[in-house]
């Protein structure tokens, strides 16, 4: 999967005459290595933890809360993103980045030492808050510290930082999980925090710390947006809790969550987003539909392979490794100038590829279907995601007035994370309702006897609805351009 876009400060610090060299030239080397290492850390965590998660959930007797362990990350990251954007605009990106990295590491340690599934989920929530702080601060660093001519190169380096972890992460995590235990995956990753702290923070202090204009009064926090972000996070958490606790009493937290979520979403996303209004609202909606359907399905792939086909965590995680390469290939393809006139068709095709991959994944529940077919299908889906996610970022700026680009970028990222939470909640509820909680117990027999567990319907009910959501995304992709002589920007 790719690194998310976040709220970007559109103001740049005035700089003296441009220094020579690229992002690894003497003027930028330390900064570039530092912030690329931060992205590498996030990418490695995402791929490694996904491999260890099925074993962790099984040993903590928390298979029924499996989806919650993923969505908790996205839930708290929503609040972290908005807070980080305000903090970075007011004081500079240094402190949000430092606090975010520390929270990210603390969450990993909390999850790695958890004695029950709810503590594990809490650790994931702390991680998500830190991740939300970090990703926004990184984009503000790029906006302030790099000349305009170098920004495409550093953004390409961010994308490339996901390729190696997508291949190495599952192998390393699987090997550690099998030989040392899943806890060492979570406890060991914080060691990687040392490089970003030592290299990136001093470089950021020199090039991008403090407010943009030190002589101007500090920008005030936008209390309304902070309250709306808190409402989204709490509302999404309540919905997720209700989805995992399938009782009549769960209707109460579900209603409270919807009551918080709906007005917050209306206040933070462009008008007309959930009506798929042409132009910017459909761009924002498509980002959420694509990310939510794909990530929600992908979260269950390792669990399905471990429990239903008896694969080791290493092989289950490695089945997704090729996706990093094809995702990067899709991003590269859409960036070619000659493809610009066909961008809408590329995005429609990308969503069709995503729907195909998700729908094809549960075929491995049939014993006679080779497991490698899932790896091929998922690589195809990642190609589609590369086409779609990069193109939504291009179109966002194309359809935004300059003074609205920052707020609209935040809306794109909120749509991405919120769709992950909501669709993971829906998928997790369906998974639990069809016996998913019993998969963990049956999985012990898989390890002992090499036989598959007997709850395939719990997985089918996750994948097939997500494939339908992706097909809806293919329709939304036909509504990205305002038909007429001029594109019209929608106000966030």
């Amino acid at each position: 999967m790719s690194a998310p876009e976040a709220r970007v400060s559109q103001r740049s610090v005035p700089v003296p005459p441009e220094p020579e060299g690229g992002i690894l030239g003497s003027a930028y080397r330390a900064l570039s290595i530092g912030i690329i290492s931060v992205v590498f850390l996030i990418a490695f965590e995402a791929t490694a933890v996904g491999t260890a998660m099925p074993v962790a959930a099984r040993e903590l007797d928390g298979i029924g809360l499996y989806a919650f362990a993923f969505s908790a990350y996205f839930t708290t990251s929503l609040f972290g993103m908005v807070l980080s954007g305000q903090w970075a605009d007011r004081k500079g990106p240094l402190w949000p980045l430092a606090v975010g990295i520390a929270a990210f590491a603390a969450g990993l340690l909390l999850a790695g030492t958890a004695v029950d599934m709810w503590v594990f989920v809490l650790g994931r929530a702390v991680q998500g808050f830190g991740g939300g702080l970090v990703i926004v601060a990184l984009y503000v660093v790029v906006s302030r510290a790099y000349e305009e001519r170098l920004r495409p190169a550093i953004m390409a380096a961010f994308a490339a930082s996901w390729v190696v972890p997508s291949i190495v992460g599952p192998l390393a995590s699987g090997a550690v999980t099998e030989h040392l235990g899943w806890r060492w995956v979570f406890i060991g990753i914080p060691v990687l925090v040392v490089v970003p702290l030592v290299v990136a923070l001093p470089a950021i202090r020199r090039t991008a710390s403090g407010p943009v204009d030190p002589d101007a009064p500090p920008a005030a926090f936008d209390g309304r947006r902070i309250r709306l972000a808190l409402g989204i996070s709490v509302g999404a958490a309540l919905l997720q809790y209700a989805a995992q606790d399938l009782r009549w009493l769960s209707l109460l937290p579900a209603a409270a969550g919807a009551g918080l979520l709906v007005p917050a979403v209306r206040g933070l996303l462009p008008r007309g987003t959930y009506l798929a209004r042409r132009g910017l609202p459909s761009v924002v909606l498509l980002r959420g539909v694509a990310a939510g359907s794909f990530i929600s399905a992908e979260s269950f792939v390792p669990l399905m392979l471990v429990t239903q086909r008896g694969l080791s965590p290493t092989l289950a995680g490695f089945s997704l490794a090729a996706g990093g390469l094809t995702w990067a290939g899709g991003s590269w393809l859409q960036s070619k100038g000659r493809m610009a006139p066909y961008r809408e068709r590329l995005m429609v095709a990308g969503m069709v590829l995503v729907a195909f991959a998700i729908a094809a994944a549960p075929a491995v529940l049939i014993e006679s279907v080779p497991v490698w077919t899932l790896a091929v299908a998922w690589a195809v889906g990642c190609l589609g995601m590369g086409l779609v996610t990069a193109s939504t970022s291009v179109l966002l700026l194309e359809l935004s007035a300059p003074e609205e680009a920052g707020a609209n970028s935040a809306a794109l990222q909120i749509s991405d994370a919120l769709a992950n939470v909501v669709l993971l909640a829906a998928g997790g509820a369906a998974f639990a309702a069809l016996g998913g909680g019993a998969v963990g117990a049956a999985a012990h027999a898989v390890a002992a006897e090499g036989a598959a567990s007997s709850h395939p319907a719990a997985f089918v009910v996750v994948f097939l609805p997500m494939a339908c959501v992706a097909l809806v995304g293919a329709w939304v992709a036909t509504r990205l351009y305002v038909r007429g002589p001029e594109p019209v920007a929608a106000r966030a």
Side-chain angles (χ1 to χ4, degrees):
M1 80 185 59
S2 63
E5 278 74 18
R7 183 178 185 274
V8 182
S9 172
Q10 297 300 309
R11 299 169 294 178
S12 300
V13 179
V15 294
E18 298 181 356
E20 297 295 326
I23 61 172
L24 294 179
S26 58
Y28 295 100
R29 187 179 299 120
L31 178 62
S32 296
I33 291 173
I35 62 176
I36 289 171
S37 68
V38 175
V39 177
F40 184 91
L41 167 67
I42 295 172
F44 187 82
E45 182 274 340
T47 55
V49 165
T51 302
M53 195 78 77
V55 179
R58 186 178 65 204
E59 292 191 6
L60 293 173
D61 295 322
I63 292 291
L65 297 175
Y66 184 77
F68 211 179
F70 283 94
S71 63
Y73 183 99
F74 297 114
T75 298
T76 53
S77 71
L78 288 165
F79 182 71
M81 290 168 194
V82 177
L83 177 62
S84 182
Q86 302 251 334
W87 195 355
D89 279 346
R90 196 167 186 266
K91 297 289 187 179
L94 181 64
W95 277 107
L97 186 63
V99 173
I101 291 175
F104 192 80
L108 283 164
L109 291 173
L110 182 59
T113 56
V115 294
D116 62 59
M117 193 62 178
W118 280 114
V119 176
F120 183 86
V121 169
L122 176 61
R124 293 287 290 163
V126 174
Q127 268 187 267
F129 176 70
L133 290 174
V134 167
I135 197 63
V136 172
L138 282 178
Y139 279 80
V140 175
V141 169
V142 171
S143 176
R144 293 190 181 190
Y146 287 86
E147 307 154 23
E148 187 173 351
R149 67 181 179 88
L150 294 178
R151 290 173 191 166
I154 192 65
M155 302 306 279
F158 283 1
S161 297
W162 282 77
V163 174
V164 172
S166 70
I167 298 172
V168 176
L171 287 174
S173 175
V176 171
T177 299
E178 289 181 47
H179 298 291
L180 297 178
W182 65 267
R183 295 183 185 277
W184 287 102
V185 175
F186 289 84
I187 295 172
I189 290 176
V191 175
L192 299 177
V193 170
V194 174
V195 173
L197 287 175
V198 171
V199 179
L201 297 187
I204 292 170
R205 184 180 291 111
R206 291 193 303 270
T207 59
S209 63
V212 174
D213 184 357
D215 298 325
F221 276 95
D222 186 340
R224 175 178 173 272
R225 288 187 67 84
I226 294 293
R227 289 192 297 273
L228 290 174
L230 185 60
I232 272 190
S233 295
V234 174
L238 288 171
L239 281 179
Q240 178 67 51
Y241 174 79
Q244 295 297 305
D245 187 23
L246 300 177
R247 298 179 298 169
W248 285 109
L249 285 177
S250 299
L251 292 175
L252 294 177
L260 289 170
L261 201 59
V262 171
V265 168
R266 289 174 61 87
L268 291 172
L269 297 186
R271 229 173 263 149
T273 295
Y274 290 105
L275 297 175
R277 186 174 296 166
R278 286 192 178 276
L280 181 64
S282 284
V283 174
V284 173
L285 176 60
L286 179 61
R287 179 57 169 266
V289 169
S293 60
F294 190 79
I295 299 303
S296 297
E298 186 178 61
S299 299
F300 286 87
V301 168
L303 183 66
M304 180 172 64
L305 293 177
V306 169
T307 62
Q308 304 299 301
R309 295 300 297 265
L311 265 65
S312 68
T314 303
L315 290 177
F318 194 62
S319 67
L320 306 178
L325 295 173
T326 56
W327 192 310
S331 299
W332 173 83
L333 180 62
Q334 66 79 39
S335 71
K336 310 306 289 181
R338 62 180 178 274
M339 292 294 181
Y342 309 103
R343 186 174 300 282
E344 184 176 283
R345 295 180 188 177
L346 284 175
M347 298 175 79
V348 172
M351 289 309 304
V352 170
L353 293 178
V354 170
F356 163 78
I358 297 173
V364 298
L365 294 168
I366 302 171
E367 195 68 28
S368 60
V369 175
V371 173
W372 59 260
T373 59
L374 187 145
V376 173
W378 218 250
V380 171
C382 286
L383 174 65
M385 286 297 290
L387 292 171
V388 172
T389 53
S391 291
T392 53
S393 300
V394 172
L395 285 179
L396 179 85
L397 296 178
E398 188 177 303
L399 295 172
S400 298
E403 67 273 13
E404 297 173 333
N408 290 345
S409 295
L412 191 75
Q413 184 60 28
I414 289 168
S415 177
D416 186 317
L418 182 61
N420 280 317
V421 172
V422 172
L423 291 179
L424 272 169
F431 181 74
L434 270 77
V439 168
H444 289 291
V446 175
E449 304 171 16
S453 62
S454 57
H455 295 79
F459 292 96
V460 173
V461 81
V462 172
F463 285 96
L464 294 188
M466 294 306 163
C468 293
V469 173
L471 284 177
V472 171
W475 171 76
V476 175
T478 67
R479 302 180 58 79
L480 303 179
Y481 289 95
V482 177
R483 306 305 182 190
E486 296 289 341
V488 179
R491 185 172 296 274

